[in-house]
mmCIF file of all heavy atoms in Angstrom:
data_model
loop_
_atom_site.group_PDB
_atom_site.id
_atom_site.type_symbol
_atom_site.label_atom_id
_atom_site.label_comp_id
_atom_site.label_asym_id
_atom_site.label_seq_id
_atom_site.Cartn_x
_atom_site.Cartn_y
_atom_site.Cartn_z
ATOM 1 N N MET K 30 68.973 202.288 69.252
ATOM 2 C CA MET K 30 68.802 200.980 68.494
ATOM 3 C C MET K 30 67.476 201.017 67.716
ATOM 4 O O MET K 30 66.480 201.433 68.292
ATOM 5 C CB MET K 30 68.798 199.764 69.463
ATOM 6 C CG MET K 30 68.568 198.457 68.777
ATOM 7 S SD MET K 30 68.553 197.045 70.004
ATOM 8 C CE MET K 30 70.130 197.025 70.607
ATOM 9 N N SER K 31 67.492 200.628 66.474
ATOM 10 C CA SER K 31 66.236 200.619 65.623
ATOM 11 C C SER K 31 65.271 199.640 66.044
ATOM 12 O O SER K 31 65.666 198.588 66.714
ATOM 13 C CB SER K 31 66.642 200.508 64.163
ATOM 14 O OG SER K 31 67.160 199.095 63.915
ATOM 15 N N THR K 32 63.978 199.868 65.615
ATOM 16 C CA THR K 32 62.967 198.859 65.975
ATOM 17 C C THR K 32 63.326 197.522 65.469
ATOM 18 O O THR K 32 63.033 196.535 66.083
ATOM 19 C CB THR K 32 61.701 199.378 65.448
ATOM 20 O OG1 THR K 32 61.314 200.645 65.929
ATOM 21 C CG2 THR K 32 60.515 198.395 65.824
ATOM 22 N N ARG K 33 63.768 197.502 64.098
ATOM 23 C CA ARG K 33 64.155 196.322 63.583
ATOM 24 C C ARG K 33 65.279 195.503 64.301
ATOM 25 O O ARG K 33 65.237 194.277 64.523
ATOM 26 C CB ARG K 33 64.531 196.453 62.165
ATOM 27 C CG ARG K 33 64.986 195.109 61.435
ATOM 28 C CD ARG K 33 65.361 195.447 59.870
ATOM 29 N NE ARG K 33 65.644 194.227 59.224
ATOM 30 C CZ ARG K 33 66.013 194.143 58.018
ATOM 31 N NH1 ARG K 33 66.130 195.356 57.270
ATOM 32 N NH2 ARG K 33 66.348 192.984 57.385
ATOM 33 N N ALA K 34 66.220 196.220 64.863
ATOM 34 C CA ALA K 34 67.367 195.569 65.617
ATOM 35 C C ALA K 34 66.824 195.105 66.981
ATOM 36 O O ALA K 34 67.254 194.008 67.353
ATOM 37 C CB ALA K 34 68.390 196.615 65.856
ATOM 38 N N ARG K 35 65.834 195.817 67.542
ATOM 39 C CA ARG K 35 65.250 195.244 68.812
ATOM 40 C C ARG K 35 64.551 194.044 68.610
ATOM 41 O O ARG K 35 64.617 193.125 69.383
ATOM 42 C CB ARG K 35 64.480 196.444 69.410
ATOM 43 C CG ARG K 35 65.221 197.578 70.041
ATOM 44 C CD ARG K 35 64.418 198.355 70.961
ATOM 45 N NE ARG K 35 63.257 199.024 70.300
ATOM 46 C CZ ARG K 35 63.307 200.286 69.796
ATOM 47 N NH1 ARG K 35 64.448 200.961 69.905
ATOM 48 N NH2 ARG K 35 62.275 200.751 69.114
ATOM 49 N N TRP K 36 63.789 194.040 67.499
ATOM 50 C CA TRP K 36 63.062 192.786 67.196
ATOM 51 C C TRP K 36 63.933 191.559 66.932
ATOM 52 O O TRP K 36 63.780 190.411 67.363
ATOM 53 C CB TRP K 36 62.128 193.022 66.056
ATOM 54 C CG TRP K 36 60.807 193.667 66.372
ATOM 55 C CD1 TRP K 36 60.465 194.937 66.145
ATOM 56 C CD2 TRP K 36 59.710 193.035 66.957
ATOM 57 N NE1 TRP K 36 59.125 195.176 66.575
ATOM 58 C CE2 TRP K 36 58.738 193.961 67.018
ATOM 59 C CE3 TRP K 36 59.418 191.732 67.324
ATOM 60 C CZ2 TRP K 36 57.506 193.700 67.635
ATOM 61 C CZ3 TRP K 36 58.127 191.410 67.945
ATOM 62 C CH2 TRP K 36 57.171 192.458 68.020
ATOM 63 N N THR K 37 65.083 191.909 66.225
ATOM 64 C CA THR K 37 66.041 190.869 65.910
ATOM 65 C C THR K 37 66.712 190.297 67.202
ATOM 66 O O THR K 37 66.826 188.990 67.337
ATOM 67 C CB THR K 37 67.118 191.279 64.923
ATOM 68 O OG1 THR K 37 66.506 191.715 63.784
ATOM 69 C CG2 THR K 37 68.157 190.225 64.635
ATOM 70 N N LEU K 38 67.046 191.183 68.139
ATOM 71 C CA LEU K 38 67.629 190.766 69.372
ATOM 72 C C LEU K 38 66.620 190.046 70.194
ATOM 73 O O LEU K 38 67.089 188.981 70.802
ATOM 74 C CB LEU K 38 68.159 192.029 70.068
ATOM 75 C CG LEU K 38 68.779 191.786 71.493
ATOM 76 C CD1 LEU K 38 70.033 190.902 71.263
ATOM 77 C CD2 LEU K 38 69.098 193.229 72.083
ATOM 78 N N GLY K 39 65.436 190.492 70.218
ATOM 79 C CA GLY K 39 64.438 189.792 71.032
ATOM 80 C C GLY K 39 64.278 188.411 70.519
ATOM 81 O O GLY K 39 63.949 187.438 71.198
ATOM 82 N N GLY K 40 64.316 188.250 69.151
ATOM 83 C CA GLY K 40 64.129 186.892 68.613
ATOM 84 C C GLY K 40 65.133 185.900 69.034
ATOM 85 O O GLY K 40 64.986 184.745 69.316
ATOM 86 N N PHE K 41 66.413 186.429 68.960
ATOM 87 C CA PHE K 41 67.557 185.609 69.424
ATOM 88 C C PHE K 41 67.304 185.143 70.967
ATOM 89 O O PHE K 41 67.753 184.053 71.231
ATOM 90 C CB PHE K 41 68.826 186.240 69.282
ATOM 91 C CG PHE K 41 69.318 186.232 67.844
ATOM 92 C CD1 PHE K 41 69.536 187.411 67.013
ATOM 93 C CD2 PHE K 41 69.589 184.989 67.254
ATOM 94 C CE1 PHE K 41 69.978 187.328 65.722
ATOM 95 C CE2 PHE K 41 70.115 184.860 65.904
ATOM 96 C CZ PHE K 41 70.282 186.084 65.134
ATOM 97 N N VAL K 42 66.946 186.049 71.725
ATOM 98 C CA VAL K 42 66.682 185.795 73.180
ATOM 99 C C VAL K 42 65.721 184.745 73.374
ATOM 100 O O VAL K 42 65.838 183.680 74.116
ATOM 101 C CB VAL K 42 66.338 187.116 73.999
ATOM 102 C CG1 VAL K 42 65.998 186.753 75.348
ATOM 103 C CG2 VAL K 42 67.535 188.040 74.014
ATOM 104 N N ILE K 43 64.532 184.826 72.615
ATOM 105 C CA ILE K 43 63.519 183.818 72.701
ATOM 106 C C ILE K 43 64.015 182.443 72.204
ATOM 107 O O ILE K 43 63.717 181.472 72.867
ATOM 108 C CB ILE K 43 62.263 184.352 71.873
ATOM 109 C CG1 ILE K 43 61.698 185.484 72.673
ATOM 110 C CG2 ILE K 43 61.243 183.193 71.890
ATOM 111 C CD1 ILE K 43 60.459 186.222 71.825
ATOM 112 N N LEU K 44 64.789 182.504 71.188
ATOM 113 C CA LEU K 44 65.297 181.280 70.571
ATOM 114 C C LEU K 44 66.250 180.565 71.598
ATOM 115 O O LEU K 44 66.200 179.353 71.723
ATOM 116 C CB LEU K 44 66.033 181.564 69.257
ATOM 117 C CG LEU K 44 66.685 180.371 68.561
ATOM 118 C CD1 LEU K 44 65.619 179.327 68.257
ATOM 119 C CD2 LEU K 44 67.427 180.757 67.337
ATOM 120 N N GLY K 45 67.012 181.321 72.270
ATOM 121 C CA GLY K 45 67.997 180.842 73.158
ATOM 122 C C GLY K 45 67.216 180.179 74.418
ATOM 123 O O GLY K 45 67.547 179.092 74.837
ATOM 124 N N ILE K 46 66.133 180.864 74.844
ATOM 125 C CA ILE K 46 65.439 180.269 76.007
ATOM 126 C C ILE K 46 64.688 178.920 75.606
ATOM 127 O O ILE K 46 64.798 177.987 76.380
ATOM 128 C CB ILE K 46 64.302 181.319 76.439
ATOM 129 C CG1 ILE K 46 64.829 182.539 76.945
ATOM 130 C CG2 ILE K 46 63.230 180.641 77.440
ATOM 131 C CD1 ILE K 46 63.913 183.644 77.333
ATOM 132 N N VAL K 47 64.158 178.871 74.328
ATOM 133 C CA VAL K 47 63.577 177.595 73.800
ATOM 134 C C VAL K 47 64.657 176.511 73.761
ATOM 135 O O VAL K 47 64.340 175.405 74.216
ATOM 136 C CB VAL K 47 62.970 177.871 72.458
ATOM 137 C CG1 VAL K 47 62.517 176.605 71.913
ATOM 138 C CG2 VAL K 47 61.698 178.786 72.546
ATOM 139 N N VAL K 48 65.759 176.818 73.255
ATOM 140 C CA VAL K 48 66.769 175.741 73.183
ATOM 141 C C VAL K 48 67.220 175.321 74.555
ATOM 142 O O VAL K 48 67.381 174.074 74.765
ATOM 143 C CB VAL K 48 68.040 176.306 72.360
ATOM 144 C CG1 VAL K 48 69.351 175.391 72.502
ATOM 145 C CG2 VAL K 48 67.657 176.685 70.910
ATOM 146 N N VAL K 49 67.417 176.156 75.537
ATOM 147 C CA VAL K 49 67.776 175.717 76.818
ATOM 148 C C VAL K 49 66.740 174.919 77.413
ATOM 149 O O VAL K 49 67.008 173.922 78.079
ATOM 150 C CB VAL K 49 68.145 176.950 77.727
ATOM 151 C CG1 VAL K 49 68.288 176.536 79.141
ATOM 152 C CG2 VAL K 49 69.446 177.714 77.229
ATOM 153 N N ALA K 50 65.448 175.318 77.356
ATOM 154 C CA ALA K 50 64.402 174.502 77.803
ATOM 155 C C ALA K 50 64.293 173.068 77.266
ATOM 156 O O ALA K 50 64.003 172.145 77.901
ATOM 157 C CB ALA K 50 62.995 175.300 77.694
ATOM 158 N N TRP K 51 64.445 173.070 75.924
ATOM 159 C CA TRP K 51 64.459 171.753 75.250
ATOM 160 C C TRP K 51 65.441 170.897 75.733
ATOM 161 O O TRP K 51 65.347 169.750 75.967
ATOM 162 C CB TRP K 51 64.627 171.982 73.720
ATOM 163 C CG TRP K 51 64.613 170.743 72.910
ATOM 164 C CD1 TRP K 51 63.648 169.937 72.471
ATOM 165 C CD2 TRP K 51 65.782 169.945 72.490
ATOM 166 N NE1 TRP K 51 63.987 168.830 71.847
ATOM 167 C CE2 TRP K 51 65.407 168.873 71.923
ATOM 168 C CE3 TRP K 51 67.106 170.193 72.771
ATOM 169 C CZ2 TRP K 51 66.394 167.841 71.466
ATOM 170 C CZ3 TRP K 51 68.013 169.402 72.323
ATOM 171 C CH2 TRP K 51 67.714 168.284 71.701
ATOM 172 N N TRP K 52 66.755 171.450 75.878
ATOM 173 C CA TRP K 52 67.911 170.608 76.346
ATOM 174 C C TRP K 52 67.609 170.124 77.799
ATOM 175 O O TRP K 52 67.872 168.952 78.110
ATOM 176 C CB TRP K 52 69.061 171.528 76.408
ATOM 177 C CG TRP K 52 70.306 170.772 76.852
ATOM 178 C CD1 TRP K 52 71.197 169.981 76.212
ATOM 179 C CD2 TRP K 52 70.878 170.929 78.252
ATOM 180 N NE1 TRP K 52 72.170 169.524 76.968
ATOM 181 C CE2 TRP K 52 71.970 170.155 78.374
ATOM 182 C CE3 TRP K 52 70.418 171.562 79.387
ATOM 183 C CZ2 TRP K 52 72.792 169.963 79.419
ATOM 184 C CZ3 TRP K 52 71.154 171.442 80.544
ATOM 185 C CH2 TRP K 52 72.297 170.577 80.549
ATOM 186 N N ALA K 53 67.153 170.949 78.641
ATOM 187 C CA ALA K 53 66.845 170.532 80.023
ATOM 188 C C ALA K 53 65.821 169.394 80.050
ATOM 189 O O ALA K 53 65.973 168.458 80.780
ATOM 190 C CB ALA K 53 66.443 171.642 80.825
ATOM 191 N N LEU K 54 64.831 169.469 79.281
ATOM 192 C CA LEU K 54 63.735 168.401 79.181
ATOM 193 C C LEU K 54 64.363 167.173 78.571
ATOM 194 O O LEU K 54 64.008 166.132 79.157
ATOM 195 C CB LEU K 54 62.633 168.947 78.323
ATOM 196 C CG LEU K 54 61.493 168.031 78.157
ATOM 197 C CD1 LEU K 54 60.773 167.727 79.559
ATOM 198 C CD2 LEU K 54 60.397 168.507 77.239
ATOM 199 N N ALA K 55 65.152 167.216 77.724
ATOM 200 C CA ALA K 55 65.790 166.123 77.070
ATOM 201 C C ALA K 55 66.735 165.347 78.071
ATOM 202 O O ALA K 55 66.631 164.011 78.178
ATOM 203 C CB ALA K 55 66.536 166.481 75.782
ATOM 204 N N VAL K 56 67.507 166.185 78.778
ATOM 205 C CA VAL K 56 68.348 165.519 79.886
ATOM 206 C C VAL K 56 67.588 164.806 80.900
ATOM 207 O O VAL K 56 67.849 163.870 81.301
ATOM 208 C CB VAL K 56 69.289 166.541 80.527
ATOM 209 C CG1 VAL K 56 69.962 166.032 81.701
ATOM 210 C CG2 VAL K 56 70.252 167.085 79.440
ATOM 211 N N ARG K 57 66.467 165.506 81.320
ATOM 212 C CA ARG K 57 65.630 164.910 82.516
ATOM 213 C C ARG K 57 64.995 163.643 81.891
ATOM 214 O O ARG K 57 64.899 162.733 82.621
ATOM 215 C CB ARG K 57 64.553 165.920 82.857
ATOM 216 C CG ARG K 57 63.727 165.472 84.012
ATOM 217 C CD ARG K 57 62.591 166.516 84.446
ATOM 218 N NE ARG K 57 61.887 165.992 85.542
ATOM 219 C CZ ARG K 57 60.833 165.251 85.406
ATOM 220 N NH1 ARG K 57 60.437 164.785 84.189
ATOM 221 N NH2 ARG K 57 60.139 164.837 86.558
ATOM 222 N N SER K 58 64.411 163.683 80.707
ATOM 223 C CA SER K 58 63.796 162.445 80.180
ATOM 224 C C SER K 58 64.756 161.212 79.951
ATOM 225 O O SER K 58 64.525 160.190 80.325
ATOM 226 C CB SER K 58 63.188 162.880 78.781
ATOM 227 O OG SER K 58 62.126 163.861 78.971
ATOM 228 N N ALA K 59 66.050 161.610 79.542
ATOM 229 C CA ALA K 59 66.982 160.595 79.373
ATOM 230 C C ALA K 59 67.384 159.955 80.704
ATOM 231 O O ALA K 59 67.823 158.783 80.792
ATOM 232 C CB ALA K 59 68.200 161.160 78.712
ATOM 233 N N ALA K 60 67.314 160.718 81.776
ATOM 234 C CA ALA K 60 67.762 160.251 83.127
ATOM 235 C C ALA K 60 66.673 159.571 83.905
ATOM 236 O O ALA K 60 66.931 158.986 85.004
ATOM 237 C CB ALA K 60 68.249 161.507 83.901
ATOM 238 N N LEU K 61 65.432 159.375 83.401
ATOM 239 C CA LEU K 61 64.328 158.823 84.106
ATOM 240 C C LEU K 61 64.781 157.369 84.379
ATOM 241 O O LEU K 61 64.476 156.962 85.591
ATOM 242 C CB LEU K 61 63.071 158.943 83.381
ATOM 243 C CG LEU K 61 62.372 160.235 83.284
ATOM 244 C CD1 LEU K 61 61.093 160.152 82.496
ATOM 245 C CD2 LEU K 61 62.046 160.651 84.715
ATOM 246 N N VAL K 62 65.257 156.668 83.503
ATOM 247 C CA VAL K 62 65.667 155.307 83.786
ATOM 248 C C VAL K 62 66.987 154.971 83.092
ATOM 249 O O VAL K 62 67.165 155.112 81.875
ATOM 250 C CB VAL K 62 64.625 154.314 83.148
ATOM 251 C CG1 VAL K 62 65.055 152.925 83.411
ATOM 252 C CG2 VAL K 62 63.246 154.508 83.733
ATOM 253 N N THR K 63 68.046 154.776 83.872
ATOM 254 C CA THR K 63 69.324 154.430 83.372
ATOM 255 C C THR K 63 69.929 153.365 84.104
ATOM 256 O O THR K 63 69.551 153.071 85.287
ATOM 257 C CB THR K 63 70.225 155.704 83.487
ATOM 258 O OG1 THR K 63 70.451 156.059 84.859
ATOM 259 C CG2 THR K 63 69.686 156.939 82.668
ATOM 260 N N THR K 64 70.986 152.670 83.530
ATOM 261 C CA THR K 64 71.742 151.735 84.302
ATOM 262 C C THR K 64 73.108 152.293 84.561
ATOM 263 O O THR K 64 73.796 152.750 83.679
ATOM 264 C CB THR K 64 71.877 150.396 83.390
ATOM 265 O OG1 THR K 64 70.588 149.957 83.043
ATOM 266 C CG2 THR K 64 72.714 149.387 84.120
ATOM 267 N N ASP K 65 73.459 152.340 85.889
ATOM 268 C CA ASP K 65 74.646 152.821 86.192
ATOM 269 C C ASP K 65 75.878 151.927 85.914
ATOM 270 O O ASP K 65 75.677 150.823 85.603
ATOM 271 C CB ASP K 65 74.715 153.288 87.801
ATOM 272 C CG ASP K 65 74.724 152.231 88.634
ATOM 273 O OD1 ASP K 65 75.049 151.009 88.238
ATOM 274 O OD2 ASP K 65 74.457 152.441 89.844
ATOM 275 N N GLN K 66 77.112 152.477 85.914
ATOM 276 C CA GLN K 66 78.325 151.742 85.444
ATOM 277 C C GLN K 66 78.616 150.682 86.487
ATOM 278 O O GLN K 66 79.470 149.833 86.124
ATOM 279 C CB GLN K 66 79.407 152.700 85.263
ATOM 280 C CG GLN K 66 79.839 153.518 86.439
ATOM 281 C CD GLN K 66 81.010 154.468 86.145
ATOM 282 O OE1 GLN K 66 81.617 154.372 85.098
ATOM 283 N NE2 GLN K 66 81.105 155.439 87.023
#
C-alpha cells in the first residue's frame, strides 16, 4: 500500500471516530432531561 493510500485510509478512520464520538455526545445531551411517554 502506497504512502498516499495509507494517509487516505487513516483519514477515514479518524473521521469515523469523530463522527461516532459526536453522535454519542449528542444522544447523551438529548437524554439529560426528557419527558417519558
Side-chain angles (χ1 to χ4, degrees):
M30 180 181 294
S31 67
T32 301
R33 182 177 180 180
R35 285 198 297 268
W36 276 102
T37 301
L38 178 60
F41 278 118
V42 171
I43 294 173
L44 179 60
I46 293 173
V47 170
V48 170
V49 171
W51 175 87
W52 177 84
L54 180 61
V56 170
R57 182 180 183 277
S58 297
L61 284 178
V62 179
T63 62
T64 301
D65 66 17
Q66 59 184 346

